[in-house]
Amino acid sequence: MNSESQIKKRTLTPKVLLSLDAARIQWYHLKAIIIAGMGLFTDAYDLFCIAPIMKMISHIYYHGDSITTAVLSLSYAIALLGTATGQLVFCYLGDRVGRRRVYGICLIIMILSSFGCGFSVCTSSRSCVMVSLGFFRFILGLGIGGDYPLSATIMSEFSNKRRRGAFIAAVFSMQGSGILVSSAVTMAVCVAFKNFGGGSKADGEAPVEADVAWRLILMIGALPAALTLYWRTLMPETARYTALVEHNIVQAAKDMQKVMSISNISDETTTEPPSPSPPPTYKLFSIRFLRLHGRDLFAASANWFLVDVVFYTSNFLLSHIFSSYSHNPSSSATTNVYDATFEVAKLGAIIAACSTIPGYWFTVFFIDKVGRVRIQIMGFFFMAVIFLAAGIPYCWYWSKHEQTKKGFMVLYGFVFFFCNFGPNTTTFIIPAELFPARFRSTCHGISGAAGKLGAIVGTVGFLWATREVEDGDDINQVYPDANRMRTAFLILGGVCIAGMFVTYFFTKETMGRSLEENEHEHERDKNVEDEEIGDGQSLAST
């Protein structure tokens, strides 16, 4: 019966899609990785440059004092909120009007809003600057939100079956390069302005030129996206969208022959193949959709939410831990604005080079050998172990000599390695492989939006949880006390354990599966019915 089912599936699947699954690695695969990856590069640059930027703004507009928790929370959350909104809106459009059209629009939004951030109005009123910056950061988030899932969807639909995971992971790995470059650019700008702009004034006040420096850092983030805009406009629509959503198999075959060397599809470019079976008529979130795909959507969304709570909170806590380790409190008003910003950027560069980027590329190498689910469980497991090992004896690390502090920093660095050689990457890959073509972009966007909600919970929640109150004003302190830091680590360890359970019980392995297996829903319907009947019979027998 199983062999007959496989034969029927191959008969119903257009040759161009079967050929895509079996295609050898070609130049266009690498070109697509670069084009899609530069979008993720820009996403990471824009999202992660905000920490040193806020350090610089605190010196310029707050004269070195800590920014209030409310303002800091809004500054971090506004781009994430825009990203979540963009994931829901543009990825729905990606399934309705096509991946290619929406993909270009998202990149244009990212380019224009990056320049807009740099041109934030006002130079004297901090309220005016923060409102203007927040507005453009929200618009930037919209573009980033659309780019995230569309990059994964497009790469998955261009890929062959054997190396699809590695291709999508390679696209996502460009995030690590974006984080590293944003730190490098920030450090370079700080050094240049410090050396050629005269440094800080005698009283520690930030020089006028510093107001140009942070704007320049933000605008440079638009350059990588602008360089790939032309190539993105030349990308054809994916064959899977054209064939399975628009039902134009001839055009799908023609588009793929223009960019890839694919055999056995020449007849589909000249003659109309037999009409496929009528597409299912159920809608997103209908009862049948939830019956077939509800579990997959829950698993993808829940895992992404949990890992982003951990990932963004870990990045936030890193600067606090480092400020204690370096004995250089970030709230010091006498610190040179460029030196303070340089230190924050340097820390991001070290973590990116030593932990984040290696983690991404370990995933690229192992994802199609070990599988998505195993890597995701492994990443959650080791992060949980690290958080518990660092959190339970937290005071011991910092009460002993210098070596224990260094050991703690190395241990904490492994969080970022196993996050990226683990759920941070796999949660980006799995939703692009689980759903039918007509829902793929939308479901990836929903999963990603859940992740950004987790990022907001992590950053904003821990900002408020670790604040201290002085003289009636809540001020974001440099370093929370040991008990609160230990509690934060234990909570993050618990979140990782929850991620392990969700992955083990609800997440399906997609390694080695054709994307077209998601289209044969009549058979999936029958399998679901068989499972329900089997469960009912087992209950009756008991």
Side-chain angles (χ1 to χ4, degrees):
M1 183 68 181
N2 190 43
S3 61
E4 292 178 2
S5 172
Q6 293 296 325
I7 294 171
K8 184 178 179 182
K9 288 180 182 180
R10 292 184 63 85
T11 303
L12 292 175
T13 304
K15 289 182 181 179
V16 63
L17 304 186
L18 293 173
S19 298
L20 274 175
D21 266 346
R24 57 182 175 81
I25 299 176
Q26 301 177 36
W27 163 243
Y28 192 76
H29 286 129
L30 303 179
K31 184 178 178 181
I33 288 173
I34 294 171
I35 294 172
M38 289 310 293
L40 272 294
F41 178 100
T42 305
D43 299 347
Y45 183 104
D46 290 326
L47 286 177
F48 288 90
C49 72
I50 192 62
I53 293 296
M54 292 305 296
K55 177 62 62 182
M56 192 171 284
I57 287 175
S58 73
H59 279 261
I60 298 169
Y61 294 104
Y62 293 80
H63 308 295
D65 295 331
S66 294
I67 303 174
T68 61
T69 304
V71 173
L72 198 60
S73 299
L74 189 60
S75 301
Y76 281 111
I78 192 71
L80 295 172
L81 183 61
T83 302
T85 305
Q87 285 172 319
L88 296 174
V89 173
F90 287 112
C91 294
Y92 175 80
L93 294 176
D95 282 333
R96 301 284 78 79
V97 301
R99 287 69 157 118
R100 177 179 173 272
R101 295 177 187 174
V102 181
Y103 205 33
I105 293 172
C106 292
L107 196 65
I108 292 172
I109 292 173
M110 290 162 59
I111 295 170
L112 296 179
S113 56
S114 293
F115 281 113
C117 289
F119 286 108
S120 296
V121 297
C122 304
T123 58
S124 57
S125 171
R126 66 189 186 190
S127 298
C128 183
V129 169
M130 296 305 290
V131 170
S132 178
L133 179 61
F135 171 77
F136 285 112
R137 291 281 295 175
F138 180 82
I139 302 301
L140 175 65
L142 292 177
I144 292 174
D147 189 79
Y148 251 71
L150 286 170
S151 293
T153 300
I154 288 172
M155 196 66 242
S156 72
E157 293 182 345
F158 274 127
S159 300
N160 62 42
K161 180 170 63 174
R162 190 170 63 89
R163 299 296 294 167
R164 184 177 62 238
F167 289 159
I168 305 174
V171 169
F172 195 61
S173 71
M174 295 295 284
Q175 270 204 335
S177 302
I179 296 171
L180 181 61
V181 169
S182 75
S183 299
V185 168
T186 301
M187 290 189 290
V189 169
C190 288
V191 170
F193 273 76
K194 180 181 178 182
N195 292 337
F196 299 105
S200 293
K201 298 179 181 179
D203 59 358
E205 184 180 346
V208 176
E209 296 83 7
D211 193 51
V212 178
W214 69 266
R215 298 169 187 271
L216 179 62
I217 293 168
L218 289 172
M219 288 191 287
I220 289 174
L223 296 181
L227 292 174
T228 58
L229 178 60
Y230 172 73
W231 299 108
R232 192 173 282 197
T233 59
L234 295 182
M235 291 181 75
E237 183 57 82
T238 68
R240 288 183 163 100
Y241 182 85
T242 304
L244 298 174
V245 180
E246 296 183 336
H247 307 292
N248 190 342
I249 298 174
V250 172
Q251 186 61 47
K254 288 180 179 179
D255 287 342
M256 287 304 97
Q257 280 198 326
K258 291 177 184 177
V259 297
M260 298 177 68
S261 174
I262 300 178
S263 59
N264 302 324
I265 65 168
S266 57
D267 57 329
E268 287 190 347
T269 63
T270 56
T271 61
E272 189 71 37
S275 298
S277 56
T281 57
Y282 66 89
K283 297 180 180 180
L284 187 70
F285 296 130
S286 64
I287 293 177
R288 190 178 176 203
F289 171 87
L290 295 175
R291 186 184 188 192
L292 293 173
H293 308 293
R295 171 178 168 174
D296 295 337
L297 185 58
F298 165 77
S301 301
N303 282 320
W304 209 329
F305 175 89
L306 294 171
V307 72
D308 271 9
V309 168
V310 174
F311 183 68
Y312 283 84
T313 304
S314 299
N315 276 285
F316 164 70
L317 292 177
L318 181 63
S319 61
H320 293 274
I321 295 170
F322 181 77
S323 67
S324 178
Y325 172 73
S326 63
H327 305 289
N328 181 30
S330 60
S331 63
S332 175
T334 59
T335 305
N336 182 289
V337 57
Y338 300 121
D339 290 340
T341 306
F342 185 94
E343 289 300 316
V344 175
K346 183 177 75 173
L347 178 61
I350 292 171
I351 292 296
C354 298
S355 296
T356 303
I357 293 176
Y360 282 127
W361 285 100
F362 265 68
T363 305
V364 171
F365 184 78
F366 287 107
I367 190 72
D368 289 313
K369 297 177 177 146
V370 178
R372 287 76 161 139
V373 171
R374 289 180 180 176
I375 288 178
Q376 189 159 297
I377 291 176
M378 178 203 69
F380 274 128
F381 172 77
F382 280 109
M383 283 195 295
V385 169
I386 292 169
F387 281 124
L388 295 177
I392 294 173
Y394 185 81
C395 294
W396 177 82
Y397 286 108
W398 298 98
S399 62
K400 299 295 180 180
H401 49 74
E402 191 71 14
Q403 291 300 112
T404 60
K405 295 181 181 179
K406 290 181 179 179
F408 179 90
M409 294 300 291
V410 172
L411 182 66
Y412 194 67
F414 276 107
V415 168
F416 298 93
F417 175 81
F418 284 109
C419 191
N420 293 298
F421 182 35
N424 192 42
T425 305
T426 54
T427 51
F428 181 79
I429 296 171
I430 291 173
E433 301 178 311
L434 275 177
F435 303 99
R438 67 190 182 282
F439 297 133
R440 187 169 293 136
S441 175
T442 302
C443 290
H444 198 293
I446 293 170
S447 304
K452 290 301 166 280
L453 178 61
I456 294 172
V457 169
T459 54
V460 176
F462 277 90
L463 268 171
W464 284 90
T466 57
R467 82 188 193 284
E468 289 184 0
V469 178
E470 290 189 358
D471 298 327
D473 296 322
D474 84 300
I475 297 177
N476 183 60
Q477 294 299 300
V478 176
Y479 189 66
D481 60 55
N483 286 332
R484 284 186 292 171
M485 185 61 77
R486 181 190 293 111
T487 301
F489 273 57
L490 295 179
I491 290 173
L492 291 177
V495 171
C496 292
I497 293 171
M500 289 173 55
F501 279 99
V502 173
T503 303
Y504 182 80
F505 288 107
F506 296 100
T507 304
K508 294 179 182 176
E509 180 59 69
T510 54
M511 182 178 67
R513 293 176 70 244
S514 171
L515 293 180
E516 280 59 68
E517 291 184 31
N518 298 316
E519 308 298 327
H520 304 294
E521 293 173 318
H522 294 293
E523 185 165 315
R524 291 190 66 178
D525 239 346
K526 185 176 182 302
N527 291 338
V528 171
E529 289 177 1
D530 290 344
E531 289 178 7
E532 291 176 351
I533 292 171
D535 292 341
Q537 289 176 345
S538 62
L539 287 172
S541 63
T542 58

